[in-house]
Amino acid sequence: MENNLLSIEIGKHAYLPYTNLGSEDRRNIDVWLEQLRNWRNDEFLRSRAKRLKPDEEIYAVNAGNDLFIAFEIADGKVILRSIIGKELLRAFGRLEEFSTA
């Protein structure tokens, strides 16, 4: 199963927000990224992620602590595309789509 894990890449638009996170939030994001490495084998994880574009493997997931992450699955990698605060999603009227029930 180790061969089936995806590698992790932090995209250029996510790099600055990622490096500016506090230690607790960064640890939380790191845990999510590590879990996302098992994307191919984890049906529960895939069910929690919301596809952002129907024709692309770009998703968002509630990462806790009022943070959401947007990521892409491509070429054997999880690519962190963005870290989004709850307030930004609320401003665009999209928060309900990503709420956990």
Side-chain angles (χ1 to χ4, degrees):
M1 182 154 111
E2 183 69 27
N3 299 2
N4 209 13
L5 294 179
L6 303 172
S7 61
I8 298 170
E9 179 180 312
I10 298 178
K12 68 178 184 174
H13 294 295
Y15 181 77
L16 189 59
Y18 176 80
T19 58
N20 284 323
L21 289 172
S23 60
E24 181 181 336
D25 286 334
R26 187 174 313 160
R27 268 193 307 277
N28 189 38
I29 297 297
D30 288 343
V31 167
W32 271 98
L33 291 174
E34 190 59 34
Q35 289 176 328
L36 287 170
R37 293 185 68 216
N38 195 32
W39 178 258
R40 294 177 181 140
N41 305 309
D42 192 333
E43 176 60 35
F44 178 75
L45 182 61
R46 290 193 310 271
S47 74
R48 305 289 284 178
K50 305 291 185 196
R51 189 177 278 225
L52 298 178
K53 292 185 171 188
D55 57 338
E56 295 181 31
E57 295 270 336
I58 300 175
Y59 303 87
V61 68
N62 183 339
N65 293 348
D66 294 335
L67 293 174
F68 296 79
I69 56 174
F71 60 94
E72 181 177 5
I73 305 295
D75 302 322
K77 295 186 276 193
V78 175
I79 306 164
L80 180 61
R81 294 292 182 196
S82 187
I83 300 170
I84 307 157
K86 181 166 102 173
E87 291 307 314
L88 183 61
L89 285 176
R90 181 177 285 129
F92 286 99
R94 304 280 310 262
L95 184 60
E96 292 75 27
E97 294 177 43
F98 299 101
S99 296
T100 56

